[in-house]
Amino acid sequence: MPTLSTAEFNESWTDKPFILTNPVKSWGLWKGWDQGTMRDKYGKIKFTAEAVDWPFQAYLDYMDNTSDESPLYLFDHLFVEKMKLTVGTNGDYCIPECFKQDLFATLGVNRPHSRWLIIGPERSGSTFHKDPNATSAWNAVIRGSKYWIMFPTSQAYPPPPGVYVSEDQSEVTSPLSIAEWLLEFHAEARATPGCVEGICHAGEVLHVPSGWWHLVVNLSPCIAVTQNFVPQAHLPKVLAFLKDKPDQVSGFKKDVVDPYGLFLQIMKEKHPEILEKAMQQLERAKEGRKRKWDELVKGYDEYEAHNDGSQGFSFGFGDADEDDVP
């Protein structure tokens, strides 16, 4: 679709992936960024590519000449400061209208890392993951094109094929490279319920809803900008994540020792009505889980009473008169 208003997004689209075709084409970056101009302007500046800081011209040389199966991916969260970019309506780029409500913005300088410059050659990309801290995201392609394959997270859907997740979801293991995963599991994944896939071309921006698994691979040399955000619809998820999974919270400065407490305090000050509504949603969800548990326990108690405790649990192997299975 060409564009989307904030109201339309909040009403119908916060839980759905989609692509917008118009917003990026009004940006200064759209008109001025390609490998040549960026090499001339930013060649000596160092950017992070998978834990290694490279002068930009050195990374571009690598990008132009690599034959690696899984090329290194430039992924830098300080690009705005390093490149002295301006963000806003008349700046180098601006947040698409429908994504401008971002409740993490209330944290100001204490917000976690939220925006990244992403550059990589053909075949580079990221294996399956969810965005940090239960945030949503938008990803705008300036040059090149990206293939996306995505899956929702819920009790109704397992993790993507070939992806193994620990019980608390703190560890995600995909033992294959992107290329190996595509060869081994792509066909199965496309037939899996909930699968959404698509190609985001230059000048387009894709929405990643909170909690969705996604794998991304560059189909050609690619330059993109991405940002994580918290819309009102997903505030309960973010609050629950910060409170219940503190060991998985990421991107905050070291001196922010209690991200949940800080966010709660600032939301009380700046958006008390939005916070109250989110807390009520969390309470209703908690009560719903308790009701389900109570129903399960009640059903078990009724089963025990009906059988007078005389029948033990059995897998039903064999007939009643057969010898016991040791």
Side-chain angles (χ1 to χ4, degrees):
M1 67 184 85
T3 190
L4 199 65
S5 70
T6 302
E8 290 170 327
F9 173 70
N10 287 332
E11 181 177 347
S12 304
W13 291 93
T14 55
D15 291 311
K16 301 174 185 176
F18 60 85
I19 290 175
L20 301 178
T21 57
N22 277 4
V24 176
K25 293 168 185 174
S26 64
W27 294 359
L29 301 187
W30 170 250
K31 302 168 185 174
W33 267 15
D34 57 45
Q35 288 189 46
T37 57
M38 293 179 76
R39 182 191 293 270
D40 292 341
K41 193 169 184 179
Y42 307 115
K44 295 182 180 180
I45 298 175
K46 289 187 176 182
F47 293 92
T48 302
E50 302 193 28
V52 179
D53 289 338
W54 299 53
F56 191 54
Q57 57 190 10
Y59 179 77
L60 290 178
D61 289 340
Y62 163 81
M63 182 173 163
D64 289 340
N65 294 287
T66 183
S67 58
D68 294 349
E69 180 183 284
S70 300
L72 295 174
Y73 205 29
L74 189 151
F75 201 79
D76 195 292
H77 74 276
L78 293 174
F79 75 101
V80 168
E81 294 80 4
K82 292 177 180 180
M83 303 168 90
K84 296 180 171 57
L85 302 179
T86 55
V87 182
T89 303
N90 297 314
D92 295 292
Y93 78 92
C94 63
I95 299 170
E97 184 65 33
C98 61
F99 305 134
K100 284 186 176 178
Q101 184 191 52
D102 178 7
L103 296 175
F104 259 174
T106 60
L107 290 168
V109 296
N110 288 317
R111 76 169 299 158
H113 301 327
S114 61
R115 57 193 181 193
W116 290 265
L117 172 66
I118 308 175
I119 300 178
E122 180 181 347
R123 302 182 308 282
S124 62
S126 57
T127 56
F128 273 108
H129 64 284
K130 300 178 188 179
D131 282 309
N133 305 322
T135 55
S136 302
W138 55 263
N139 187 297
V141 179
I142 312 299
R143 295 289 181 269
S145 58
K146 294 176 177 285
Y147 170 74
W148 293 74
I149 185 165
M150 310 170 69
F151 295 84
T153 297
S154 75
Q155 293 181 349
Y157 298 110
V163 176
Y164 308 95
V165 186
S166 62
E167 186 174 350
D168 64 357
Q169 298 196 15
S170 63
E171 296 183 15
V172 178
T173 304
S174 182
L176 305 174
S177 68
I178 293 175
E180 290 171 324
W181 184 90
L182 289 169
L183 288 170
E184 184 74 19
F185 291 106
H186 192 218
E188 178 185 349
R190 298 178 79 183
T192 300
C195 176
V196 175
E197 61 178 339
I199 296 174
C200 193
H201 298 279
E204 299 178 340
V205 55
L206 180 139
H207 171 242
V208 183
S210 170
W212 277 61
W213 294 101
H214 50 286
L215 175 148
V216 191
V217 60
N218 290 342
L219 301 178
S220 59
C222 200
I223 303 170
V225 171
T226 188
Q227 183 158 330
N228 294 85
F229 68 104
V230 180
Q232 182 175 339
H234 290 307
L235 178 59
K237 284 186 181 180
V238 173
L239 288 168
F241 187 93
L242 296 179
K243 181 181 180 182
D244 299 335
K245 300 181 178 182
D247 58 319
Q248 298 178 39
V249 171
S250 63
F252 285 88
K253 296 177 180 177
K254 291 182 179 180
D255 58 355
V256 179
V257 295
D258 181 12
Y260 172 73
L262 176 63
F263 189 38
L264 199 67
Q265 174 188 341
I266 292 178
M267 285 297 297
K268 284 179 181 177
E269 295 171 359
K270 296 188 176 182
H271 299 290
E273 294 180 358
I274 293 176
L275 177 62
E276 182 179 0
K277 185 176 179 180
M279 298 302 283
Q280 289 172 350
Q281 289 177 272
L282 286 172
E283 187 60 31
R284 286 196 297 271
K286 181 180 178 181
E287 291 173 355
R289 290 192 296 271
K290 184 177 184 301
R291 279 197 302 273
K292 289 181 180 179
W293 175 253
D294 290 344
E295 290 169 1
L296 179 63
V297 171
K298 181 182 178 182
Y300 178 77
D301 289 344
E302 290 175 349
Y303 170 82
E304 287 285 286
H306 176 73
N307 288 283
D308 196 26
S310 60
Q311 294 184 357
F313 181 79
S314 171
F315 283 106
F317 290 135
D319 296 324
D321 58 352
E322 289 185 354
D323 292 338
D324 291 339
V325 178

